[in-house]
Amino acid sequence: MIELKDLDKTFHDIHAADHVTGTIRDGMVFGLIGSNGAGKSTLLRMIAGVVRPDSGELLVDGAHVFENPEIKSQICFLSDTPYYFQNSDLREMRDYYMTVYPAFNRKQFDSLSGIFHLDMKRKISTFSKGMKKQVSILLGLCTGTKYLLCDETFDGLDPVMRQAFKSLFASEIVNRNFTPVIASHNLRELEDFCDSIGLLHQGRLLLTEDIDQVRSKICKLQCVIRDPLREQELLRSLRVLKSERTGSLLTLTVRGGRSEVMSIAEAQDPLFIEVLPLTLEEIFISETEVAGYDIKDFFLH
């Protein structure tokens, strides 16, 4: 388990991590969402033990990470810009990783390289951006570390490759003690993949929750109520986060489960009623607007 306790980190006048507190449980896919410059890379580097926090406490499996080789051996960090030795091929990078990570699975790496049609003898510098990303992910997966920290790792992969690697991650979680932490600026990319998700903005972790919990406590209500007094009563009865109107159709983003919201709305004798689930993007837009932020300015899609 990764525990973040009031972490703070400043680079000159940039507050990269602003009193970040949260927990990442074992055996789950954790998505760290935030725009470029939100502090995702700094947070991952602190978890990896590359950067020391100015204050606060960071524990991995109950131990401090910085200058702790034993704990660091269980963490692999994949940068958003993969680095490879000059003129190296896959065999040379594989052999290097084997010296750094004793649990590196050579057989798995060679097999997966063949499945992904990556020529072991070809210079990595001649690979496309997407192929270099593939190599990076395969090296990280095959290290055998408990924690894999991925910084914009899926950026540059086509949809087919993205889905293939998501399947590989899921397989690793099933077959061994494995916890990936995936940072991205694209919430849609992680929506169907993560078990839990955190939203980082300007160094602050605005919220972190299990996706199932997020989805169960907020929904979208669309209804048509002929009587204005009954409509007002509905608005008073619900915990409304956002309200929109198109003609007679009232669309509300509200807190509460589907059955609860439906029951309250049906009591007002609507001509039409429908309760819809929200995408994670819609949920986070609503949540952060309530917190005083405009999430539409946070992300690139």
Side-chain angles (χ1 to χ4, degrees):
M1 182 171 67
I2 299 172
E3 299 172 84
L4 315 173
K5 301 179 180 181
D6 204 31
L7 290 183
D8 205 76
K9 183 65 183 179
T10 301
F11 298 100
H12 303 293
D13 59 344
I14 300 173
H15 208 165
D18 188 357
H19 301 284
V20 174
T21 297
T23 300
I24 301 174
R25 301 192 310 276
D26 290 348
M28 57 177 283
V29 182
F30 185 86
L32 184 62
I33 307 298
S35 60
N36 294 326
K40 303 188 302 299
S41 297
T42 297
L43 185 56
L44 291 183
R45 283 178 166 84
M46 285 194 290
I47 295 173
V50 177
V51 173
R52 186 201 295 266
D54 293 335
S55 62
E57 191 173 35
L58 197 158
L59 302 176
V60 175
D61 293 340
H64 294 279
V65 181
F66 197 80
E67 295 182 345
N68 187 335
E70 183 178 353
I71 292 297
K72 282 187 175 183
S73 69
Q74 289 301 311
I75 303 170
C76 180
F77 171 65
L78 303 181
S79 172
D80 58 340
T81 306
Y83 171 79
Y84 303 106
F85 297 133
Q86 188 174 8
N87 295 321
S88 64
D89 57 27
L90 266 65
R91 296 170 300 177
E92 292 170 307
M93 290 307 303
R94 176 201 63 195
D95 293 346
Y96 169 72
Y97 269 67
M98 288 176 62
T99 65
V100 177
Y101 298 97
F104 189 92
N105 191 330
R106 173 175 177 164
K107 182 178 180 181
Q108 181 188 31
F109 180 80
D110 291 351
S111 174
L112 289 173
S113 296
I115 291 172
F116 284 89
H117 305 292
L118 297 169
D119 186 349
M120 296 288 288
K121 299 178 181 179
R122 180 176 166 184
K123 302 296 185 184
I124 298 175
S125 60
T126 66
F127 286 177
S128 67
K129 176 182 177 181
M131 294 171 70
K132 290 176 181 176
K133 287 279 188 176
Q134 292 174 40
V135 173
S136 175
I137 298 171
L138 292 182
L139 286 168
L141 277 174
C142 294
T143 58
T145 57
K146 179 179 178 181
Y147 300 101
L148 182 62
L149 311 180
C150 307
D151 192 1
E152 304 286 359
T153 300
F154 294 145
D155 184 32
L157 296 180
D158 64 55
V160 173
M161 284 296 135
R162 201 174 292 137
Q163 192 58 48
F165 279 108
K166 288 179 180 180
S167 297
L168 273 179
F169 276 50
S171 176
E172 290 294 305
I173 290 174
V174 170
N175 293 318
R176 65 181 179 92
N177 191 2
F178 180 59
T179 302
V181 180
I182 303 173
S184 177
H185 64 275
N186 191 335
L187 195 152
R188 293 174 185 169
E189 180 177 278
L190 301 181
E191 180 164 6
D192 63 344
F193 183 47
C194 295
D195 301 297
S196 186
I197 206 160
L199 175 60
L200 197 66
H201 179 58
Q202 294 181 352
R204 296 180 63 87
L205 194 61
L206 299 186
L207 51 93
T208 174
E209 292 190 66
D210 289 349
I211 286 182
D212 288 342
Q213 292 179 345
V214 171
R215 287 181 169 140
S216 68
K217 69 180 185 180
I218 187 171
C219 58
K220 180 186 292 184
L221 170 67
Q222 292 186 322
C223 62
V224 176
I225 300 177
R226 183 179 297 172
D227 187 341
L229 294 179
R230 284 184 173 274
E231 184 179 282
Q232 289 303 311
E233 177 60 27
L234 175 66
L235 292 172
R236 285 192 294 269
S237 302
L238 294 171
R239 292 168 289 174
V240 179
L241 300 178
K242 187 175 181 180
S243 176
E244 297 176 332
R245 181 184 295 279
T246 305
S248 59
L249 179 66
L250 183 64
T251 302
L252 305 173
T253 301
V254 299
R255 291 197 189 280
R258 185 183 186 282
S259 58
E260 174 194 2
V261 171
M262 178 71 80
S263 176
I264 293 172
E266 285 178 338
Q268 302 307 323
D269 192 26
L271 296 175
F272 167 80
I273 182 172
E274 185 176 28
V275 178
L276 304 170
L278 275 73
T279 65
L280 281 181
E281 183 173 293
E282 290 174 317
I283 290 172
F284 281 120
I285 287 173
S286 300
E287 292 282 5
T288 51
E289 283 180 347
V290 168
Y293 297 94
D294 187 354
I295 199 172
K296 288 174 287 189
D297 294 335
F298 291 3
F299 304 110
L300 304 173
H301 298 293

